[in-house]
Amino acid sequence: QVQLVESGGGSVLTGGSHRVSCVLSGYPYSRYCMGWFRQAPGKEREGVATIYLDGSTTYSDSVRGRFTISQDSDKKTLYLQMSSLKPEDTAMYYCAADRGLACETMKRLVFRDLEVSGKGTLVTVSS
């Protein structure tokens, strides 16, 4: 059974930096494209960043230049390094994984009908 477990959520001051992580278990990491999406209270799900099988990345306009997605395949771990954080970045952050043609959808930062996603980790940005 494939599982994703996020960690690293917490409270951060505006302008600060923070990193969240996600570990995949139960399947070869290299077969998946991976990404992060977030959801704030009362708001719709928002795709944040994706890392594709070839290592290429995509970012939403709202985080480009501030967030960096990366991975350690040996550790089967996905990271999201966040900097210059703003209160509007406050959300539950989820990691997701998928394979095959679904990766093309995830590459466009559309996160739906996912093969697997985690339970999320909360990041709160306050002034």
Side-chain angles (χ1 to χ4, degrees), residues 1-77:
Q1 182 180 359
V2 180
Q3 286 188 321
L4 293 171
V5 179
E6 302 94 339
S7 62
S11 296
V12 191
L13 294 176
T14 298
S17 298
H18 199 70
R19 189 179 78 169
V20 292
S21 305
C22 171
V23 177
L24 180 147
S25 62
Y27 201 81
Y29 185 91
S30 60
R31 301 286 182 88
Y32 283 93
C33 54
M34 307 284 291
W36 291 94
F37 65 94
R38 66 187 181 186
Q39 189 159 21
K43 294 189 176 181
E44 293 187 353
R45 178 181 297 187
E46 177 191 9
V48 174
T50 298
I51 187 161
Y52 202 53
L53 298 173
D54 62 1
S56 60
T57 57
T58 54
Y59 297 94
S60 68
D61 290 342
S62 62
V63 308
R64 188 177 297 111
R66 300 188 298 121
F67 289 13
T68 301
I69 187 171
S70 63
Q71 61 188 355
D72 184 330
S73 298
D74 292 336
K75 295 182 178 179
K76 294 187 177 182
T77 301

Side-chain angles (χ1 to χ4, degrees), residues 15-18 63 65-68 81-86 89:
S17 298
H18 199 70
V63 308
R66 300 188 298 121
F67 289 13
T68 301
Q81 178 68 48
M82 303 176 284
S83 62
S84 301
L85 282 161
K86 306 173 183 179
D89 293 318

